[in-house]
Amino acid sequence: MTLKLNWTEIENIDKIVRERWIETESQLWYNLDSIHTRTIKGSFNLVLIDNKPRFDARRKPPAFKKLTQPFSEEGFNFNKVKTEEKMLQISKLNKHLPKDNLEIIINVSPIFRYHSLIVPYPLQCMPQIMDEYSLRIILDFLMKSSDLNVIIIGNSLLAHASVNHLHFHLLYPEFRAACTRAKGGDTFKASLRELVGYFFPGIIILVTEENL
């Protein structure tokens, strides 16, 4: 049964997610015992994850042809997942957000333990394109989390997204990911900095409760 919560009343979101993940673990498509990690020597301390079952068992993505494709009821979407896979349904997220609920669903083909999916306002059937409201949801979640290792990833169509229904990957790795240790260089504006000393270019956006 899906646990329904009011966002403003949640005190330890990380503990709740982990507990609900364990309760729904029986829905996984493969055993996690075969997953192994090791740190690659070098200045970035990258972590290699050996998870062959995920690539064998995960839902194969359709042949998307561009980044912006309309949502389709015909294909798989997260309104079609089994009730047993739905971990949390959260309401009253933010005064700026739609009244629709947020759902957190177990990823049945996880990268590693506690890998879940955040699905903002699923009934609105939005395609896999991040908008202002979903970004606010992710930032609110990160502000409420107390786990320094937590990562939330949004991957687009043509960037390994297998479902064209707005969602994000919620990860609780047992290691500190290299991206969370990246450093910022020159400041473009008060909250923007260049990513430096990393193996690809990027921009760091500094977010606080004051400027959210």
Side-chain angles (χ1 to χ4, degrees), residues 82-199:
K82 296 184 296 183
T83 302
E84 293 81 5
E85 296 176 19
K86 296 182 178 182
M87 296 161 47
L88 297 168
Q89 188 178 81
I90 303 175
S91 61
K92 298 184 179 179
L93 294 160
N94 187 303
K95 65 180 180 181
H96 303 291
L97 302 179
K99 296 181 180 179
D100 205 0
N101 293 320
L102 158 74
E103 289 186 353
I104 299 182
I105 301 169
I106 191 169
N107 191 321
V108 292
S109 53
I111 296 176
F112 41 64
R113 196 168 181 81
Y114 303 125
H115 184 179
S116 310
L117 300 170
I118 297 177
V119 185
Y121 32 99
L123 296 180
Q124 293 193 19
C125 299
M126 302 289 289
Q128 182 63 350
I129 304 172
M130 182 172 63
D131 60 3
E132 174 189 352
Y133 298 118
S134 59
L135 177 58
R136 284 182 177 270
I137 287 174
I138 297 310
L139 294 176
D140 282 347
F141 189 103
L142 291 172
M143 289 293 183
K144 191 177 282 285
S145 172
S146 60
D147 192 315
L148 294 178
N149 289 351
V150 67
I151 302 172
I152 298 179
I153 299 173
N155 58 330
S156 67
L157 306 186
L158 308 185
H160 300 292
S162 59
V163 181
N164 188 22
H165 188 183
L166 183 58
H167 67 284
F168 298 85
H169 293 263
L170 173 61
L171 303 169
Y172 286 97
E174 296 181 354
F175 51 85
R176 191 75 183 274
C179 61
T180 65
R181 292 181 274 105
K183 297 180 180 180
D186 295 336
T187 302
F188 301 126
K189 293 184 178 180
S191 58
L192 286 179
R193 292 184 182 176
E194 181 183 8
L195 181 65
V196 296
Y198 207 51
F199 56 91

Side-chain angles (χ1 to χ4, degrees), residues 1 16-35 82-88 104-116 174:
M1 181 180 296
I16 294 172
V17 168
R18 287 189 178 98
E19 289 178 347
R20 288 294 296 140
W21 194 96
I22 291 172
E23 291 172 4
T24 55
E25 187 175 1
S26 61
Q27 301 302 311
L28 298 183
W29 288 358
Y30 50 81
N31 191 294
L32 303 186
D33 292 341
S34 60
I35 300 175
K82 296 184 296 183
T83 302
E84 293 81 5
E85 296 176 19
K86 296 182 178 182
M87 296 161 47
L88 297 168
I104 299 182
I105 301 169
I106 191 169
N107 191 321
V108 292
S109 53
I111 296 176
F112 41 64
R113 196 168 181 81
Y114 303 125
H115 184 179
S116 310
E174 296 181 354

